[in-house]
Amino acid sequence: MFITPVINKPGLDAADDNSYRPISNLSVISKLLERLIVQQLIEYLTSANLLPQLQSGFRQGHSTETAVLRVLSDILQAVDRGDVAALVLLDLSAAFDTVDHEVLLQCLSETFGVIDVAHMWFRSHLSGRTQYVRCGSSRSSTTYLVCGVPQGSVLGPVLFVLYTFDLVSLIESHSLLPHLYSDDTQVYSSCSPAAVDVLSVTISECSADVASWMRSNRLQLNSDKTEVMWCTADRRQHQLPTAALPIDGVPVDPVSSVRDLGIYIDAHLVMQTNVKKTASRCFAVLRQLHQICRYVSTEMFQALVVALVVT
């Protein structure tokens, strides 16, 4: 038995079970309209240089790979200088579902200059949405949505990126380096081994301010799932702190490896964990590809290898 949350777009009768159609002319038109809006919005933000530069989510020429490479490159350079680096991966709870519509609309107008007819369109796009839960033939009562960007929409992720625009400057105000990919927030910095305690205090203070900012914007920092890792060369591993780091009042123990946007990073930065955890999966994919290689063209086979193995 499946429990299905159903979100109705404005103009549909929430009381009519037949109004939920996964594939319909209305949904196709909605997707096409959203793509046009996204294209115009990105063109406007790019021309006005308003896109957050340290946010890699949903931007042309950016991906999870470029985000991880940027962070890993900065950490490697710090370690090569003989410093100790700290990497904190902040975890948000149901981030896309807790975006406050009024705060988002205020952000669009005051921060990004989306006003007049364009602002009215975004208000219309967000308002009037309803949701109910269907389990088999039973369904819950209908409720109006006052928060959250539409699930599965083309525009929703871009709106979330704009919603968290101020988070970058907040982290930078603590002299730490941020890099975001959608709702995944990476905070890192480096220092000499003698200044580790000072950096620890700075990270704790920054995390407290980030948590406060998120609460004021209806977001929720999940301190229990936030990870902290100290990085340095193999010969300096004994210099790494082992004490728990307070993240919004919750003590978080340092770990020896983290999974950052699908890539495993070790504290000694040699990628052993990533190779160990991904090699077996790559080998399994290669065996499956070998079974179909005679049935597809060379170009198609190369595309499959790039898509399934190289990434």
Side-chain angles (χ1 to χ4, degrees), residues 158-176:
V158 179
L159 292 177
F160 181 83
V161 167
L162 301 183
Y163 189 77
T164 55
F165 177 80
D166 292 335
L167 187 57
V168 170
S169 58
L170 173 61
I171 296 172
E172 288 179 330
S173 68
H174 288 270
S175 299
L176 300 177

Side-chain angles (χ1 to χ4, degrees), residues 4-5 15 65 73 109 112 117 153 155 180 193 238 255 282 286 295 309:
T4 307
E65 294 176 3
S73 175
S109 61
F112 298 100
V117 176
S153 69
L155 186 57
L180 286 68
H238 64 280
V255 295
C282 288
L286 285 173
Y295 303 110
V309 178

Side-chain angles (χ1 to χ4, degrees), residues 150-309:
Q151 298 181 26
S153 69
V154 179
L155 186 57
V158 179
L159 292 177
F160 181 83
V161 167
L162 301 183
Y163 189 77
T164 55
F165 177 80
D166 292 335
L167 187 57
V168 170
S169 58
L170 173 61
I171 296 172
E172 288 179 330
S173 68
H174 288 270
S175 299
L176 300 177
L177 299 174
H179 201 97
L180 286 68
Y181 186 91
S182 185
D183 60 332
D184 292 300
T185 304
Q186 307 161 94
V187 180
Y188 60 102
S189 187
S190 60
C191 65
S192 65
V196 165
D197 291 339
V198 176
L199 180 56
S200 298
V201 172
T202 301
I203 293 174
S204 295
E205 292 175 348
C206 178
S207 67
D209 287 347
V210 167
S212 176
W213 180 89
M214 288 184 176
R215 282 190 290 268
S216 66
N217 288 275
R218 304 294 191 267
L219 299 175
Q220 178 63 49
L221 176 64
N222 191 344
S223 301
D224 293 332
K225 290 187 177 181
T226 293
E227 294 183 294
V228 176
M229 183 176 70
W230 293 93
C231 306
T232 190
D234 240 348
R235 65 181 182 278
R236 296 177 180 270
Q237 287 291 307
H238 64 280
Q239 297 178 328
L240 294 180
T242 57
L245 192 63
I247 302 295
D248 190 28
V250 177
V252 177
D253 293 319
V255 295
S256 58
S257 67
V258 295
R259 187 182 184 187
D260 186 13
L261 299 175
I263 303 296
Y264 293 92
I265 303 176
D266 302 309
H268 41 68
L269 303 172
V270 295
M271 307 300 288
Q272 285 182 350
T273 303
N274 190 69
V275 172
K276 185 182 300 183
K277 289 183 176 292
T278 59
S280 59
R281 285 183 290 176
C282 288
F283 182 70
V285 172
L286 285 173
R287 286 178 60 89
Q288 294 174 340
L289 290 177
H290 176 71
Q291 296 175 2
I292 66 169
C293 64
R294 70 185 69 178
Y295 303 110
V296 298
S297 65
T298 302
E299 293 77 11
M300 176 61 71
F301 191 73
Q302 290 175 346
L304 289 172
V305 171
V306 170
L308 300 176
V309 178

